């Protein structure tokens, strides 16, 4: 697509910007970038354009250049909350969660009504293990968007991490009710119900009922997200707790396959331990052999290999 012939009148520049935004919102980053670049050739110090072009660079796999443009935008106009939000997203995607928290907090100090920023702040806090602070962020987001399934799911997840299962369960059930095909909500709800079942000691029927319900949620999540190792592993564990040993064996093997596809040898070692716990020592050893091929120098894998080899 050729660059639009934009002249420097305000109306024409605004029309071109709107055209770029339409492309951007539709996911046509290349077309949007072309328009933004042309506008920046006319207005090189325009903070809005620098911000938008920085976001495009980030979305297209060049976060360093994206961050440099977003930082230029912030330097020109530090009062724009969305600029700080964008900086936080770049930092969070790079795993720099402390810096992301700072940027999201800067955005919220300017505009505390940005529900999306509160959610991203909560996610960064979760990644840092700061779950009480994450709960606070998600609760503020819930005040702004009370039925948003993403907010409900992540607030429930933080309560789960804090072992506040009675608080987590209704939030996650509400998230699933709002979005029945939301795999993360289904997986988190399965995990909460599984723990609740494990806490029951004197009512076998109720315990089995909860385990079956947790299994249903986990299987629904797996249908929507087949490459999620944690869900696959949880399904195996649920079958084991229900004393379905043959199904547990099959599901743990499937979990090992998922872990191998994503090169997660730590997960493969956990699967091997579960397979051992249901009496399948040979398959446990086979999983460790596969893990060793992926990470021959991993000390934990080597120790597991020696252990299982000695037991064969």
């Amino acid at each position: 697509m050729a660059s639009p012939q934009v002249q420097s009148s305000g109306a024409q520049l605004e029309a071109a910007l709107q055209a770029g935004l339409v492309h951007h919102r539709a996911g046509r980053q290349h077309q949007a970038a072309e328009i933004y670049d042309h506008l920046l050739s006319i207005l090189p110090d325009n903070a809005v354009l620098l911000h938008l072009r920085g976001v495009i660079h980030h979305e297209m796999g060049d976060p360093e250049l994206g961050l440099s443009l977003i930082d230029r935008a912030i330097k020109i106009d530090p009062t724009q909350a969305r600029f700080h939000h964008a900086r936080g997203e770049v930092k969070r995607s790079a795993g720099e969660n402390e810096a992301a928290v700072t940027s999201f907090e800067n955005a919220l100090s300017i505009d505390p009504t940005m529900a999306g920023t509160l959610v991203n702040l909560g996610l960064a806090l979760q990644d840092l293990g700061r779950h009480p602070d994450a709960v606070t962020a998600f609760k503020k987001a819930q005040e702004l968007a009370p039925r948003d399934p993403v907010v409900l799911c992540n607030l429930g997840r933080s309560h789960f991490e804090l072992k506040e299962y009675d608080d987590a369960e209704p939030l996650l059930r509400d998230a699933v009710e709002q979005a029945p095909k939301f795999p993360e909500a289904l997986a988190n709800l399965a995990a909460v119900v599984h723990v609740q079942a494990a806490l029951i000691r004197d009512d076998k029927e109720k315990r089995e009922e909860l385990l079956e319900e947790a299994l249903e949620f986990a299987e629904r999540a797996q249908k929507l997200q087949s490459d999620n190792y944690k869900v696959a592993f949880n399904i195996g564990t649920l079958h084991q707790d229900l004393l379905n040993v043959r199904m547990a064996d099959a599901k743990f093997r499937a979990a090992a396959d998922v872990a191998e596809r994503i090169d997660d040898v730590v997960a493969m070692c956990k699967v091997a331990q579960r397979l051992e716990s249901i009496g399948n020592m040979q398959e446990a050893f086979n999983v460790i052999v596969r893990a060793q091929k992926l990470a021959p120098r991993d000390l934990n894998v080597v120790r597991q290999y020696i252990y299982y080899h000695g037991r064969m």
Side-chain angles (χ1 to χ4, degrees):
M1 171 181 166
S3 296
Q5 298 302 308
V6 182
Q7 298 182 16
S8 58
S9 76
Q12 288 172 314
L13 293 172
E14 179 61 26
L17 175 59
Q18 292 305 315
L21 290 170
V22 168
H23 284 303
H24 197 166
R25 289 166 184 155
R28 298 187 291 269
Q29 282 98 338
H30 288 285
Q31 293 94 323
E34 190 170 272
I35 292 173
Y36 296 157
D37 284 340
H38 187 80
L39 291 171
L40 280 167
S41 71
I42 300 168
L43 301 168
D45 294 321
N46 183 281
V48 172
L49 291 170
L50 288 167
H51 158 251
L52 290 170
R53 191 62 179 98
V55 170
I56 289 278
H57 276 300
H58 175 223
E59 292 173 348
M60 295 178 69
D62 192 349
E64 290 186 10
L65 183 53
L67 185 64
S68 69
L69 294 179
I70 292 167
D71 282 343
R72 281 179 60 194
I74 291 172
K75 186 174 181 180
I76 293 168
D77 187 357
T79 67
Q80 295 296 317
R82 56 185 169 158
F83 298 176
H84 295 281
H85 174 97
R87 189 177 201 282
E89 286 193 327
V90 175
K91 287 295 186 180
R92 182 167 179 267
S93 68
E96 299 177 34
N97 286 297
E98 291 285 4
V101 166
T102 298
S103 290
F104 292 139
E105 288 177 339
N106 287 340
L108 291 164
S109 70
I110 298 166
D111 183 357
T113 67
M114 296 173 69
T117 304
L118 284 163
V119 170
N120 282 347
L121 172 61
L123 292 171
L125 291 165
Q126 280 184 340
D127 290 342
L128 291 167
R130 293 169 54 185
H131 295 290
D133 293 332
V135 166
T136 299
F138 290 129
K139 282 184 174 179
K140 289 180 180 178
Q142 188 183 26
E143 291 173 4
L144 297 167
R147 306 309 299 276
D148 187 303
V150 173
V151 174
L152 294 167
C153 175
N154 283 291
L155 179 55
R157 180 192 158 201
S158 281
H159 279 300
F160 174 76
E161 296 292 345
L162 291 167
K163 297 182 171 52
E164 297 166 351
Y165 306 122
D166 290 340
D167 292 320
E169 182 200 355
L171 290 161
L172 290 164
R173 288 189 184 275
D174 198 3
V176 169
E177 182 180 347
Q178 299 302 317
K181 294 186 177 181
F182 185 4
E184 288 82 3
L186 287 162
N188 285 324
L189 180 54
V192 169
V193 176
H194 191 179
V195 170
Q196 289 177 322
L199 294 173
I200 294 175
R201 294 285 182 263
D202 54 359
D203 190 338
K204 181 180 178 182
E205 184 176 341
K206 179 62 176 177
R207 180 176 181 274
E208 289 186 357
E209 179 184 324
L210 288 176
L211 288 171
E212 293 284 1
E213 186 181 30
L215 182 60
E216 177 193 346
F217 290 131
E219 288 177 338
R220 285 170 60 186
Q222 189 177 49
K223 287 179 181 178
L224 296 164
Q225 201 174 57
S226 60
D227 61 344
N228 188 317
Y229 155 75
K230 289 183 178 180
V231 172
F233 184 84
N234 195 27
I235 289 174
T237 305
L238 284 161
H239 278 294
Q240 184 178 8
D241 290 349
L242 285 164
L243 305 180
N244 300 329
V245 177
R246 291 181 63 182
M247 284 297 295
D249 182 89
K251 296 303 180 180
F252 285 134
R253 292 186 192 210
D257 292 341
V258 174
E260 186 175 20
R261 285 199 297 272
I262 60 176
D263 294 338
D264 190 339
V265 296
V266 173
M268 294 178 77
C269 289
K270 289 180 180 178
V271 172
Q273 290 167 358
R274 282 291 181 171
L275 286 164
E276 179 190 1
S277 73
I278 60 174
N280 194 339
M281 186 67 71
Q282 180 62 59
E283 189 58 32
F285 179 62
N286 291 343
V287 170
I288 293 301
V289 169
R290 289 155 59 188
Q292 191 180 40
K293 290 179 180 178
L294 291 175
R297 297 184 179 182
D298 185 289
L299 291 179
N300 187 46
V301 173
V302 171
R303 282 194 292 266
Q304 294 267 16
Y305 180 88
I306 294 170
Y307 168 77
Y308 286 112
H309 188 270
R311 298 287 299 276
M312 295 301 296

